């Protein structure tokens, strides 16, 4: 069982930067996938950035070029570096992790991440 634990949420000014951390407790041998999500008040949860077991990254269009997902050498802690923050980035940020599943799609095998394990969230407020 994986248990993500977020930290680093804070209040920052527009244009500022912030780093969120997520320690994934319970990591042993084997690969896993991870992602950052966020939910603003009265809005749907949004996938912000993902990092799969092959090291491939993906980003939501709204954060592309401003946010970076990474992990440390132990592969048990990963980060979300956020720059050029705007009011629209205000939200509770969650990290999620899972072991990837291998599925057959159109005759080829690929890996999918179900993000079964979630942290409690950390708040980010961007103000003028």
């Amino acid at each position: 069982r994986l248990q993500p634990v977020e930290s680093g949420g804070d209040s920052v000014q527009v244009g500022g930067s912030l780093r969120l951390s997520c320690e994934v407790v319970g990591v042993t041998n084997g690969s896993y996938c991870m992602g950052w999500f966020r939910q603003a008040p009265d809005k749907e949860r949004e996938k912000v950035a993902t990092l799969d077991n092959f090291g491939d990254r993906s980003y939501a269009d709204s954060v592309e070029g401003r946010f970076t997902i990474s992990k440390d050498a132990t592969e048990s802690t990963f980060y979300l570096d956020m720059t050029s923050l705007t009011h629209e980035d205000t939200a509770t940020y969650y990290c999620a992790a899972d072991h990837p599943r291998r599925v057959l799609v159109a005759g080829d095998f690929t890996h999918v991440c179900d993000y079964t394990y979630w942290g409690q969230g950390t708040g980010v407020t961007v103000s003028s």
Side-chain angles (χ1 to χ4, degrees), residues 13-105:
Q13 291 192 322
V14 171
S17 301
L18 197 62
R19 165 176 269 201
L20 303 181
S21 299
C22 177
E23 180 184 5
V24 183
V25 180
V27 172
T28 58
N29 293 326
S31 61
Y32 67 105
C33 46
M34 58 194 86
W36 284 100
F37 298 75
R38 68 184 180 186
Q39 187 164 20
D42 300 323
K43 291 189 176 180
E44 296 290 321
R45 186 174 65 195
E46 174 187 21
K47 183 187 295 183
V48 175
T50 64
L51 179 60
D52 70 14
N53 50 306
F54 296 108
D56 293 330
R57 295 165 172 79
S58 69
Y59 298 94
D61 290 342
S62 58
V63 306
E64 181 79 53
R66 299 189 298 121
F67 290 12
T68 303
I69 187 171
S70 63
K71 61 184 176 182
D72 71 356
T74 68
E75 300 194 3
S76 62
T77 300
F78 63 106
Y79 307 98
L80 185 68
D81 288 297
M82 307 184 292
T83 64
S84 301
L85 287 163
T86 72
H87 293 295
E88 287 68 37
D89 297 316
T90 294
T92 299
Y93 284 72
Y94 300 89
C95 63
D98 207 336
H99 298 292
R101 289 188 297 119
R102 192 164 176 255
V103 298
L104 185 62
V105 177

